[in-house]
Amino acid sequence: MGEEPLPNGGGNILVTRGWGADKPGICQAFLKKVEEHNSEVLDMAQFLLGGGLLFTFVLKVDEEKSFALMKSLRACAKDVGLELDFYFPNAAEVPEAEGGNEAVIALVSSQAITPALMMDVDKVLWGHGCVVLEIEHRSDNMKEHNGEYNKVQIRIRC
């Protein structure tokens, strides 16, 4: 996809996704590159799965500097041993404003939290016009690890 300026003319949105072995200093190294290119972090998330790091940065980038930033981030990824990809969402995919109310739903059960249950929860949320922003299910929130309950937290906006 090509770069499309934001509707208000404020630059481009660049989504950067990375994955690989986790080690100290990765986030700091990437944020330093973003700062060097006078870009803005709109959103970011990182997760550890089985010792592997997965992260996403949503950046607002000056139209003239996006290629230089991508090149710099790619070099940084190589230095820390990560894979990296980029995505420019089109203007229709960029939300106009955050708006709405946010909430956190905690599912707690002595039984397994199955994909079917998660799908049913999603259907109910969708029916109320809610958007899932984040799902957290850490290994310490599994009954086999904590000896008590399975726990999932879902952050939503309605």
Side-chain angles (χ1 to χ4, degrees):
M1 276 192 188
E3 300 174 34
E4 286 191 40
L6 295 177
N8 63 6
N12 294 315
I13 297 294
L14 172 63
V15 178
T16 304
R17 293 175 278 216
W19 60 96
D22 187 32
K23 56 182 138 181
I26 292 174
C27 185
Q28 181 181 358
F30 276 86
L31 291 176
K32 183 178 178 185
K33 298 300 180 190
V34 171
E35 182 181 34
E36 288 172 1
H37 291 272
N38 297 318
S39 297
E40 181 182 347
V41 177
L42 299 177
D43 197 4
M44 62 188 275
Q46 62 180 31
F47 303 93
L48 293 175
L49 277 167
L53 173 68
L54 300 129
F55 69 82
T56 302
F57 290 112
V58 180
L59 308 171
K60 185 175 180 182
V61 183
D62 182 280
E63 294 175 41
E64 303 298 319
K65 298 181 180 178
S66 58
F67 184 74
L69 174 60
M70 289 169 60
K71 188 174 176 182
S72 184
L73 290 173
R74 177 110 24 226
C76 182
K78 184 177 180 183
D79 290 345
V80 297
L82 295 180
E83 297 292 324
L84 197 64
D85 72 10
F86 302 102
Y87 169 65
F88 286 98
N90 65 43
E93 296 174 290
V94 178
E96 291 294 323
E98 290 294 308
N101 295 312
E102 288 191 19
V104 176
I105 298 169
L107 295 177
V108 181
S109 175
S110 60
Q111 303 298 313
I113 296 175
T114 64
L117 172 63
M118 295 299 291
M119 192 169 84
D120 288 344
V121 169
D122 187 55
K123 284 180 191 176
V124 170
L125 294 171
W126 178 79
H128 289 280
C130 299
V131 176
V132 174
L133 302 173
E134 177 181 19
I135 298 173
E136 181 180 302
H137 184 58
R138 300 186 326 250
S139 62
D140 61 335
N141 284 337
M142 295 179 181
K143 187 175 181 178
E144 61 263 23
H145 296 285
N146 66 31
E148 296 176 343
Y149 299 102
N150 292 302
K151 305 170 194 170
V152 173
Q153 286 189 326
I154 306 169
R155 190 168 60 95
I156 62 169
R157 180 177 301 123
C158 298

